[in-house]
Amino acid sequence: ELEGGALGGIILVFEGGAFIWPGVSAGFRRNVTFQPKGSPELQLELVTQSLQPLVIEVSSFIGNEECAHLIQRAAPHVAKSNVVHKDADVGK
């Protein structure tokens, strides 16, 4: 709530489909605060890294411990990809 009782912030309303955060422009920053039910308040910064493809960086999305756990769990399922070159690209 702002001075004088006015409400501030963003309200996003959408129906059906999947929500895609608007990128605005490369380098655009938006601070977002929310509190998941039963959890402490989270303050995140969303930074648009690219519009095409749309890439949004989310600061403090997960901590170092959670990140290490995800990497450990995923590691057995990660393999080097096979790359196939077109004949015109061989040697480039």
Side-chain angles (χ1 to χ4, degrees), residues 55-77:
V55 178
I56 307 288
E57 175 186 340
V58 181
S59 69
S60 305
F61 184 69
I62 60 174
N64 291 339
E65 247 181 63
E66 293 95 349
C67 189
H69 176 75
L70 289 173
I71 292 170
Q72 178 188 16
R73 293 290 307 262
H77 308 286

Side-chain angles (χ1 to χ4, degrees), residues 30-36 40-46 58-61:
R30 162 89 57 197
N31 291 314
V32 178
T33 302
F34 70 100
Q35 186 169 7
E41 185 177 83
L42 294 174
Q43 295 193 13
L44 305 174
E45 180 181 48
L46 306 177
V58 181
S59 69
S60 305
F61 184 69

Side-chain angles (χ1 to χ4, degrees), residues 84-92:
V84 178
H85 294 284
K86 295 180 185 177
D87 290 340
D89 293 333
V90 172
K92 289 186 177 179

Side-chain angles (χ1 to χ4, degrees), residues 1-14:
E1 193 170 306
L2 301 175
E3 287 184 72
L7 296 176
I10 299 173
I11 297 175
L12 301 172
V13 179
F14 62 98

